[in-house]
Amino acid sequence: MFKQFIDKIPGADFFLVTSFLMFFLFFLLVGLYLIFANKDSLRYMANLPLQDVVEEQTSNKEVK
């Protein structure tokens, strides 16, 4: 199926290679960001949803 697509549409091979390179580059950059990112900042962002739940539970106990 893909061979027919590449053969019948002019420039399809360039499109396929370009889209693969963009896909690969995006995930490479995300991976590099995660490797070199500040670990304290990542921990803070990971705990944000949990902090909201804890704050809500403590505020509900204070109201009662």
Side-chain angles (χ1 to χ4, degrees), residues 41-53:
S41 175
L42 293 177
R43 263 188 235 104
Y44 172 75
M45 289 187 284
N47 288 326
L48 279 176
L50 300 175
Q51 289 175 356
D52 291 342
V53 171

Side-chain angles (χ1 to χ4, degrees), residues 5-6 11-25:
F5 175 73
I6 294 171
D13 53 347
F14 175 75
F15 171 73
L16 292 173
V17 170
T18 304
S19 61
F20 171 74
L21 289 176
M22 287 172 42
F23 176 80
F24 183 75
L25 183 64

Side-chain angles (χ1 to χ4, degrees), residues 7-64:
D7 289 340
K8 291 184 180 183
I9 298 176
D13 53 347
F14 175 75
F15 171 73
L16 292 173
V17 170
T18 304
S19 61
F20 171 74
L21 289 176
M22 287 172 42
F23 176 80
F24 183 75
L25 183 64
F26 173 76
F27 282 102
L28 180 69
L29 290 174
V30 169
L32 289 174
Y33 171 75
L34 291 174
I35 290 171
F36 293 112
N38 186 357
K39 303 304 180 202
D40 293 331
S41 175
L42 293 177
R43 263 188 235 104
Y44 172 75
M45 289 187 284
N47 288 326
L48 279 176
L50 300 175
Q51 289 175 356
D52 291 342
V53 171
V54 171
E55 289 173 4
E56 183 179 312
Q57 289 174 350
T58 56
S59 66
N60 286 341
K61 289 179 182 178
E62 292 174 359
V63 173
K64 291 180 182 180

